[in-house]
Amino acid sequence: MIKIIFFFFPVFLLGQQKITSQYIESEIKKVHAVKETGNTNEYIKKNTILLRDSKQINYSKGIATSALNFSDIYFLLGNYKKSLYYLELAKKEKYTKDNIDMQVDIKMLYSYNYSVIDLYQEAISELKEVVVLSDEIKEDSLRIYAKSKAYSVIGAVYLEKEQFDLATLYMKNAVNVIEKSETPGNKLQRSLIWYYLVLANVKIEENKIDSADKYVKIAEARPKKLFGNNNFKLYETKGRIHDKRKEYKSAIDDYQKALKLAEKTNIAAAIALYKLISDVYTKLGNKESATEYLQKYTSISDSLANAKQPTLESTVKHLITQKEKGIKDNNKFLFYGVYIGVFGLILFIFFIAKRLYKKNKILSTKEQERQLLNQKLNIAFEEVVQLAKSNNPEFLTRFQEVYPIFFQNLLQIEPQLLNTELKFCALIFLNFSTKDIASYTFVQPSSIQTRKNRLRKKLNIPSDEDLYVWMKNINTKI
């Protein structure tokens, strides 16, 4: 027996797959291929092997990729603590620090996790960094995907906060980024379908059912092969439209189709559907079914809420630690600054003439920097003005980037302001006359004057106060 084992041992060794970087690269491709099939169990199995083998040879790309995959998996399963754990693992890898695409993906997943545990501002902060980082991505399709995805998730966060105008604005930005692409591939087209469905849900929340139906039809017009996991969102959205129209039996049918798909891949979506189905059965007077689905909703929601609390606590601790580290670094910097200042003062005593010369030089440099900053602000202002004059759809987005607090202050006064009204306020802020606004927006000057009067009433602006001055002042309030 020992002789037989001894004879076959070399054969056994030769039969083992040697783990190399080339082998890991091929396994990464296989993992991505399995993800496209939607087979979650196989995806987890392949990813587990990928992480194990990558750690065995300390292959940074394999470790970072598999950790990111696991973060995505656990997020969809509702285990946000583990999702954040694997994100930290991916973030530390050298491959991540050298790879913009990976940095973008990690920030996206951080934003998802932050948003579900109600850390909305942190989520939006991560997403705005993604918008900036995405410009550094070389490949067109990946750059477009990253930027559109960031806009869409910002839109989803604002939808969650019930700020529907901003949700619509950012979702349309996401759509426009892809629509401008000359040859969007399947991945971008699938994303586009999702964005239209989210837009439909925004309109449902605003009770604009016809607009919601329009967006659903735009999504449905796309080839069916592109839907994939988007199918559950399609059926859920159609169900919500039927629900609003009191077509309850059709709503139940669509919700059940959505639930069957969501239970396999997206636990959060499945939970929401349990509640939606329970509500419709209540409207139909079917108390037994309403109670059944409400119990499912309550049971899973409670377990997720229990899991969510330690995740929230650990995440907040992590954020506090990061901020404390920044404060300590600043204190250290301050200490060295004081030390250098004292040393500089001694030098000043001995080399006063030279110091005066340097001081004048520094002042001159600062003046140049100030002039350069003013020049940049003037360029940004001119860019916004030109976008307004050409009635460019990017005008609102760029205006918000240059004057970030303007819309926020307006919406605090009147949260129901529409996008068209926000744009009108922006034009007044830019000091366009009634005649100019009429020309650029292709309406009569009398209509513009009427809109100004309506705006005064809506924002409670006194009739004796100059509208243009009022708009300038609103941008200075914090």
Side-chain angles (χ1 to χ4, degrees), residues 4-17:
I4 293 172
I5 294 172
F6 183 77
F7 177 78
F8 282 105
F9 188 67
V11 178
F12 173 75
L13 286 178
L14 289 171
Q16 296 297 301
Q17 172 66 55

Side-chain angles (χ1 to χ4, degrees), residues 119-172:
L119 296 173
Y120 296 123
Q121 199 52 52
E122 286 75 10
I124 291 173
S125 177
E126 293 285 348
L127 292 163
K128 287 186 175 179
E129 287 185 33
V130 170
V131 172
V132 175
L133 271 178
S134 63
D135 288 329
E136 298 180 35
I137 299 175
K138 293 179 182 178
E139 188 176 332
D140 284 348
S141 61
L142 293 178
R143 183 175 62 255
I144 292 167
Y145 176 76
K147 181 165 281 193
S148 67
K149 191 72 175 175
Y151 279 139
S152 75
V153 182
I154 293 174
V157 171
Y158 280 124
L159 172 58
E160 187 69 21
K161 294 176 70 177
E162 298 185 355
Q163 292 180 251
F164 302 127
D165 285 340
L166 285 172
T168 300
L169 173 67
Y170 278 98
M171 290 310 305
K172 285 185 175 180

